[in-house]
Amino acid sequence: MPRTYVIPDLHGRRDLLDAALLRIETHAGGKEATIVVLGDYVDKGPDSRRVIARLRAGVAPGLRLAMLKGNHDALMVAALRGDVAMANWLAKGGDTALASYGGDVADVPVHDIDWLDGRPLWHMDAHRIYVHAGVDPALPLAQQDPVLLMTKRYVDDDASGHDAGEGARHVVHGHDRHADGPLLKQGRSNLDTYAWKTGRLVIGVFDDALQGGPVELIEITAPPAPERTATP
């Protein structure tokens, strides 16, 4: 059956993205599949510009690509458009993103800013909702607060995560890092493994015909990032 591959928060790790796309292409074996990337392409890690460039370049024929917006992507856009203080972005990992463009805000291409801003906030199929951070289970998807979709944090010790999202659909998200993750529950799957820092990225593989969480996990490893102050 068709599959959906989900790549969580990348935060400037082009090396992990390249390895992930190669593994997915091999795993799909030429069959049609969907790749969902959960957002937070920028900040913290060293190669924000090259992550964006790689995603904008597209993927192999037969693979569909859904690229969502994360809170760091929205923050970068807001800072570069003057809607929030530049210092706020730089303090939350934007310093490395800006450095990947040469260190001058004037050198960040408008098309990259527009591309980040144009990312959708969710992707949905028959059995799952894919979103950067989470959803409000009390509201239909069309009425969700965009900020909540990019910033929500679930209670980690909930027994099943059954009330994670809309109706019977399983919620697949990132944003809330767990270095020993992913965190898999009945109602939601949190795939964020703090990959930019640990060098360990976990891709969730979902069978489009089945409800619930991943049927397989693909782990990508690379050297961890050097020590630096990290802000969620």
Side-chain angles (χ1 to χ4, degrees), residues 7-21 37-59 65 67-68 73 76 96-97 100-101 112 115-116 119 196 201:
I7 302 174
D9 311 44
L10 290 161
H11 285 299
R13 290 297 299 260
R14 171 65 187 263
D15 56 340
L16 291 172
L17 173 60
D18 285 343
L21 292 176
V37 196
L38 294 177
D40 275 7
Y41 311 111
V42 302
D43 298 349
K44 303 182 181 179
D47 291 323
S48 293
R49 181 175 192 167
R50 295 179 65 239
V51 166
I52 293 173
R54 178 63 190 86
L55 290 171
R56 293 187 69 199
V59 290
L65 193 55
M67 299 169 286
L68 308 183
D73 309 317
M76 177 172 168
T96 60
S100 74
Y101 286 93
D112 278 8
W115 182 86
L116 285 173
R119 298 304 88 217
W196 81 267
L201 180 76

Side-chain angles (χ1 to χ4, degrees), residues 11 42-45 48 72 75 87-99 228-231:
H11 285 299
V42 302
D43 298 349
K44 303 182 181 179
S48 293
H72 278 267
L75 178 59
N88 186 25
W89 173 48
L90 297 178
K92 293 182 178 178
D95 56 336
T96 60
L98 187 58
R228 61 161 286 152
T229 301
T231 303

